[in-house]
Amino acid sequence: MKGKKDINDFFKDGVGDFRMEPPKKVRRKLLLVLLLGKLVSGYRKYVVGAVLLAVGTAVVFFSGAEGEFVDNKSVRESAVVDDLEEEHLRSFSESEVSKNDLTSVKEINAKEESGREAGVNSQKRFSQIQKEEVFSTVEVAQNELVGKNDRKEFASIQKRAIKSNEDKTRGEVNEVLAKEAVLVVEPKNDDEKYRMEVSMEPEEKGSGEEKTEENALVEIKKENEERDEVNNNGAQLAQVEPEAGTKDYIKDSKLESLKLSDLKDTSIDTVTKHLDLTDEASKDSILVLDSLSPALAKVDTVSQNLGAEPDDSSSLKPKPKLSYALAPYIAADVVLNNLDSMKYLPAYSVGVLAGVSIKHSTVYAGVAYSSTSFEQSYTYSMDSVVAYFRPNYDVTEVQEMKIDSTVNGNDSSGVWVSYDTTYVSRLDSSLVTDTIYNNETFDKKGVQKISLNYLTVPLYYAYTFSRGKHGVELSVGTELNFLLNNGDVSGTTPSGSVTVPEHATLNVEKFYINYRVSAAYFYKISGNLEVFTELRYRQVNKSLIRGSAKNRYLGGAIGLKWRFD
Amino acid sequence: MTEELNDIIKGCQRRKYRYQKKLYDKYASLLYAICFRYFKNADDANDALQEGFIKIYEKIGAYRGEGSFEGWIKRVQVNICLMQIRKNKRTYALEDEVVDESYAEEEQEGNFNGIEPQVLFRMIKELSDGYRTVFNMYVLDGYSHKEISEYLSISEGTSKSQLARAKKILREQVLSWQNRVKN
């Protein structure tokens, strides 16, 4: 470091960029607070969504035997969550949980609660004392301070009033005032500055005599103008809200309780003037300057200043915005409770949903065509005549002459000599068939397949939570189903001909309601377009075929969803 | 502004934990030094640092890239320190006195060199509360006497005299240190 003539520059260059490693515990604490705040705010919606799904499912299951519908109102109430939009999510000061963490980080405990109460009590007592003995003088001064917005002038007037009545009013407030003579000037409403307690300005002490009110007003006016000039140049200064426990906070809180919030940005004198028309006691409490009260001084200003902060446009919640969705889909379900005599085939549906969304909640309504099929076995008997063919043989005896001749080899005459003739019998048979006719009855089994087609109107409530391009949507609701036709009823017989046995006529419900819960995963393909796949459970409130069981379906759906404003 | 810093700022504006951690690791030492300049007590400095970062994370959305980011967070931290001091109700007995004009000229002179920053830092810390605060605000953090008088509710004359006193003490300490080192 080369030699510096100016000590300012010397220190500035030497220490300006000096760095010191903070203790590791500070880092740990801060990052833990950050992480906790983030976890709670980020996953709160998942927890609420899971609770919603569990409640909805439990209600559907337990009331399934009677087909009772889940109470929509209770589901909606359990699903109400705070505004979770990201721009509203703050690390700390706008979240109660993170504010409380901040409180714990700063190790502020219940002592401050009692300190705060004591401070308020002291404040009240002080105001009462003032009102009785001192404030008569102050009131007069107040009325003459129209348009002034500097607390200092009020404090000086108050000080004179207190001095003039020091024999009458004692108490801890006056003692503190007399001993320390500390003035606290609260920050202006439109300009957050931080002031520190200092002793009374020497020029006031050294004056020797009390200034007249007029001189005080003139001086204060000048100071106000100077201060305004400084304020205009201080645009780069970080903004920090007035703290709870300060005059502004007390004033603002009181104004809110008196429903005079529009006066928040005005000076205390204007407020006083206004309050002259209303309530003396309220005026006193607003104008109290008990900055010296130790109890008030211990008030934690950051952790509790949640609701009473002056209006900050950056913390205003954005108004909820409606958006819409359109979602065509196809779905298939299988029945969970098949019977031996009735086998349900997978049900199919194709439809389109329209939804209205606000924040993370959506209400869907739609229309779909759905087809439910089942097979039912049956038996029947058939009478028929059966012909039997029996083969027979006719047997006749036939004699044939058999000549027995021998040839003498020594006789060259060539004359054959027959010595004997015999007759041989042989049998001759021919096939003969017999036909026998019988009447018989046969027991037959058949299967008939029945398809029922419905117009379905889904109505349900869904809650969405997403992160990036992925998301999950949980829903509970109902579907109204209207029978479109009796469907095709087909049966088979052993002969192969299509007939409709008598007992194929069934009592089919023309209208039924089914309840549903589902969980869908969706992926954002582009800004407005999503593809989703859904797992769903449905339960019918009554059996489709009168006399049979109430069906429970488990199935899934896939579809596309367009979201638009 | 480097690209890395730009990413960190944008990440913090989006409330990304990872980037908030990076911001802390990058600037904690700088801001802690500021806190330690204002507070003698380590606990107060720790509290001020935590509050400072909390406020930075909260308000970083309002930072639009105008001016130096380091200057912006330093100013936030300084304001937090001042607010913390006020909350702790430190009373400063700042008495007004006539500013010694001749001293104001004398203090410019001197050949100051060869002192480690840590030593200078300690010298500042050893000043009394009032001198230290005014010195920090004026010399190191760039506040004007007018602004200091507004913050501390003192007159400009008081601010100047406090600064002059602080500089005198520091100058003596620096020269004394240099003499010791020479010897």
Side-chain angles (χ1 to χ4, degrees):
Chain A
M1 204 185 320
K2 65 177 187 181
K4 295 284 181 191
K5 280 195 172 178
D6 190 334
I7 196 164
N8 286 356
D9 293 336
F10 177 64
F11 271 90
K12 204 172 179 180
D13 291 341
V15 181
D17 289 326
F18 181 66
R19 289 177 177 248
M20 259 183 85
E21 276 305 315
K24 283 186 182 165
K25 66 174 182 181
V26 174
R27 183 180 191 274
R28 273 200 305 269
K29 242 185 211 175
L30 182 68
L31 295 182
L32 182 65
V33 166
L34 276 175
L35 191 59
L36 277 177
K38 198 145 187 68
L39 281 175
V40 169
S41 60
Y43 287 98
R44 182 167 42 186
K45 50 190 175 184
Y46 291 94
V47 171
V48 172
V51 167
L52 171 66
L53 179 61
V55 166
T57 307
V59 171
V60 168
F61 266 113
F62 285 113
S63 64
E66 297 303 321
E68 290 178 3
F69 185 53
V70 174
D71 183 10
N72 260 338
K73 184 170 179 295
S74 62
V75 166
R76 283 200 203 91
E77 284 173 352
S78 65
V80 169
V81 292
D82 293 337
D83 180 12
L84 298 174
E85 290 186 14
E86 196 170 323
E87 58 269 17
H88 179 63
L89 280 175
R90 301 285 178 180
S91 298
F92 306 98
S93 61
E94 292 182 21
S95 158
E96 282 193 6
V97 174
S98 56
K99 274 273 182 187
N100 290 335
D101 289 334
L102 175 60
T103 302
S104 66
V105 166
K106 292 173 62 190
E107 296 177 4
I108 292 174
N109 51 26
K111 262 191 191 174
E112 292 179 346
E113 286 293 333
S114 61
R116 197 176 301 125
E117 284 175 10
V120 171
N121 289 339
S122 302
Q123 178 184 347
K124 282 183 185 168
R125 188 152 64 90
F126 177 64
S127 70
Q128 195 175 0
I129 292 169
Q130 274 189 318
K131 191 179 176 185
E132 286 172 8
E133 301 289 347
V134 173
F135 222 73
S136 55
T137 311
V138 175
E139 266 186 21
V140 172
Q142 273 177 358
N143 292 335
E144 295 180 18
L145 291 179
V146 174
K148 297 298 178 296
N149 59 5
D150 193 345
R151 304 293 290 118
K152 225 185 268 185
E153 77 191 44
F154 178 73
S156 65
I157 294 166
Q158 187 185 31
K159 190 184 172 197
R160 286 195 296 276
I162 290 169
K163 276 183 182 172
S164 70
N165 290 277
E166 60 180 8
D167 288 333
K168 292 180 187 176
T169 55
R170 298 290 176 209
E172 60 179 323
V173 172
N174 278 344
E175 283 177 7
V176 175
L177 273 175
K179 281 177 190 173
E180 296 189 12
V182 177
L183 170 68
V184 174
V185 180
E186 70 287 357
K188 276 177 164 293
N189 286 334
D190 57 347
D191 175 17
E192 291 101 10
K193 287 200 164 83
Y194 308 98
R195 302 185 183 237
M196 301 160 62
E197 274 185 335
V198 296
S199 305
M200 291 300 293
E201 291 201 15
E203 52 239 25
E204 288 204 319
K205 281 185 190 175
S207 63
E209 54 182 15
E210 295 177 9
K211 294 189 180 133
T212 62
E213 287 178 5
E214 272 187 22
N215 289 342
L217 294 177
V218 168
E219 281 189 19
I220 286 159
K221 197 175 181 180
K222 281 185 190 170
E223 287 180 9
N224 281 346
E225 286 169 359
E226 287 177 5
R227 194 177 300 113
D228 286 343
E229 204 180 308
V230 172
N231 290 344
N232 291 335
N233 294 332
Q236 286 189 357
L237 297 172
Q239 304 294 313
V240 178
E241 296 81 1
E243 311 158 351
T246 63
K247 309 311 163 296
D248 267 349
Y249 177 80
I250 294 169
K251 184 190 81 169
D252 291 344
S253 304
K254 196 62 191 175
L255 285 173
E256 278 184 51
S257 68
L258 294 173
K259 297 182 183 175
L260 296 170
S261 301
D262 53 334
L263 294 179
K264 272 186 185 179
D265 289 334
T266 58
S267 67
I268 288 187
D269 297 296
T270 307
V271 169
T272 305
K273 197 180 175 191
H274 184 91
L275 287 176
D276 277 340
L277 304 173
T278 56
D279 180 16
E280 279 297 317
S282 303
K283 178 177 62 178
D284 292 344
S285 64
I286 282 196
L287 295 174
V288 166
L289 272 186
D290 189 15
S291 59
L292 308 176
S293 165
L296 246 189
K298 288 174 192 168
V299 169
D300 172 32
T301 58
V302 173
S303 67
Q304 68 135 7
N305 190 15
L306 292 176
E309 284 183 354
D311 193 18
D312 177 9
S313 61
S314 65
S315 69
L316 285 176
K317 293 185 183 182
K319 287 183 183 174
K321 195 176 153 191
L322 281 179
S323 64
Y324 305 93
L326 194 65
Y329 70 95
I330 55 173
D333 303 285
V334 293
V335 175
L336 296 177
N337 54 340
N338 270 323
L339 300 175
D340 289 338
S341 61
M342 193 175 287
K343 180 187 171 187
Y344 283 87
L345 303 174
Y348 302 96
S349 61
V350 57
V352 64
L353 294 166
V356 176
S357 301
I358 183 166
K359 295 179 189 174
H360 297 279
S361 298
T362 309
V363 173
Y364 286 102
V367 64
Y369 171 83
S370 58
S371 174
T372 301
S373 306
F374 60 91
E375 287 180 344
Q376 190 178 39
S377 63
Y378 63 94
T379 58
Y380 66 98
S381 62
M382 186 170 73
D383 295 332
S384 63
V385 175
V386 182
Y388 293 93
F389 298 95
R390 185 171 66 183
N392 274 326
Y393 290 92
D394 269 344
V395 178
T396 56
E397 191 169 348
V398 176
Q399 286 192 336
E400 290 181 345
M401 184 171 67
K402 179 177 176 185
I403 297 173
D404 183 14
S405 64
T406 57
V407 176
N408 187 355
N410 294 325
D411 188 355
S412 60
S413 64
V415 174
W416 299 92
V417 180
S418 166
Y419 295 98
D420 198 6
T421 303
T422 57
Y423 288 92
V424 179
S425 299
R426 65 178 179 84
L427 291 175
D428 184 17
S429 64
S430 61
L431 183 64
V432 177
T433 303
D434 285 338
T435 301
I436 300 173
Y437 295 91
N438 271 346
N439 288 327
E440 290 187 8
T441 301
F442 296 91
D443 288 328
K444 298 293 181 187
K445 255 188 181 179
V447 172
Q448 60 179 3
K449 182 180 171 183
I450 300 172
S451 294
L452 301 173
N453 303 321
Y454 288 89
L455 174 71
T456 301
V457 177
L459 297 166
Y460 58 90
Y461 165 84
Y463 188 82
T464 307
F465 35 91
S466 62
R467 190 176 285 272
K469 287 194 172 186
H470 305 272
V472 174
E473 189 172 77
L474 306 177
S475 67
V476 290
T478 182
E479 289 174 346
L480 312 177
N481 299 271
F482 304 90
L483 184 66
L484 290 175
N485 52 25
N486 280 326
D488 296 325
V489 179
S490 62
T492 55
T493 63
S495 66
S497 62
V498 176
T499 60
V500 180
E502 287 179 5
H503 43 262
T505 303
L506 301 168
N507 288 326
V508 176
E509 291 291 343
K510 288 189 167 42
F511 168 77
Y512 72 91
I513 295 175
N514 69 267
Y515 315 114
R516 53 163 282 164
V517 289
S518 70
Y521 161 80
F522 63 85
Y523 175 77
K524 280 187 186 172
I525 300 172
S526 68
N528 290 340
L529 183 62
E530 298 168 2
V531 60
F532 69 91
T533 175
E534 178 185 74
L535 179 67
R536 63 190 201 168
Y537 170 82
R538 299 189 299 140
Q539 174 153 335
V540 183
N541 67 325
K542 53 184 174 180
S543 55
L544 268 62
I545 311 296
R546 291 191 194 115
S548 69
K550 296 173 192 172
N551 302 111
R552 293 184 285 124
Y553 296 88
L554 183 66
I558 56 172
L560 292 171
K561 194 177 290 181
W562 279 273
R563 292 193 184 270
F564 47 95
D565 296 330
Chain B
M1 195 186 297
T2 64
E3 200 176 328
E4 186 204 354
L5 180 61
N6 205 25
D7 290 341
I8 290 174
I9 293 169
K10 281 185 182 163
C12 290
Q13 286 172 342
R14 289 197 305 267
R15 304 287 190 272
K16 299 291 183 189
Y17 173 75
R18 184 159 64 99
Y19 291 100
Q20 288 172 330
K21 205 166 107 175
K22 279 186 180 177
L23 185 76
Y24 179 88
D25 292 336
K26 194 174 171 68
Y27 289 106
S29 54
L30 181 68
L31 300 186
Y32 192 60
I34 293 174
C35 296
F36 238 107
R37 277 197 275 115
Y38 280 92
F39 298 101
K40 280 187 175 173
N41 188 337
D43 288 339
D44 290 339
N46 294 343
D47 285 346
L49 180 68
Q50 276 174 339
E51 285 231 32
F53 267 99
I54 288 164
K55 192 55 70 177
I56 288 167
Y57 294 139
E58 183 185 336
K59 295 295 180 184
I60 198 168
Y63 177 73
R64 294 281 176 256
E66 299 157 357
S68 154
F69 180 72
E70 192 170 299
W72 181 78
I73 60 169
K74 273 183 173 176
R75 184 53 67 98
V76 172
Q77 185 63 67
V78 167
N79 283 342
I80 293 293
C81 290
L82 295 175
M83 187 171 71
Q84 192 83 6
I85 289 169
R86 181 167 178 267
K87 268 166 57 180
N88 291 342
K89 296 296 183 189
R90 298 294 172 87
T91 305
Y92 295 84
L94 297 176
E95 297 179 357
D96 199 9
E97 57 185 74
V98 177
V99 177
D100 187 350
E101 296 294 338
S102 62
Y103 175 75
E105 290 174 7
E106 183 189 341
E107 68 179 9
Q108 301 298 324
E109 298 177 1
N111 191 13
F112 313 112
N113 62 354
I115 300 182
E116 295 296 323
Q118 298 92 306
V119 176
L120 296 175
F121 195 84
R122 200 164 62 230
M123 286 178 188
I124 295 171
K125 270 176 70 69
E126 284 171 2
L127 291 171
S128 67
D129 291 344
Y131 299 155
R132 186 177 69 249
T133 305
V134 174
F135 182 83
N136 277 325
M137 288 178 78
Y138 184 84
V139 175
L140 300 176
D141 295 319
Y143 287 83
S144 65
H145 284 298
K146 210 172 204 179
E147 288 170 331
I148 293 171
S149 65
E150 290 297 328
Y151 271 102
L152 304 185
S153 297
I154 55 176
S155 65
E156 282 192 46
T158 305
S159 173
K160 287 177 183 170
S161 69
Q162 294 290 306
L163 178 67
R165 270 261 180 100
K167 282 157 74 169
K168 184 181 175 187
I169 294 171
L170 287 172
R171 185 173 178 276
E172 286 167 1
Q173 286 186 348
V174 165
L175 291 173
S176 162
W177 179 271
Q178 283 177 331
N179 289 336
R180 277 212 297 274
V181 167
K182 268 185 198 171
N183 298 334

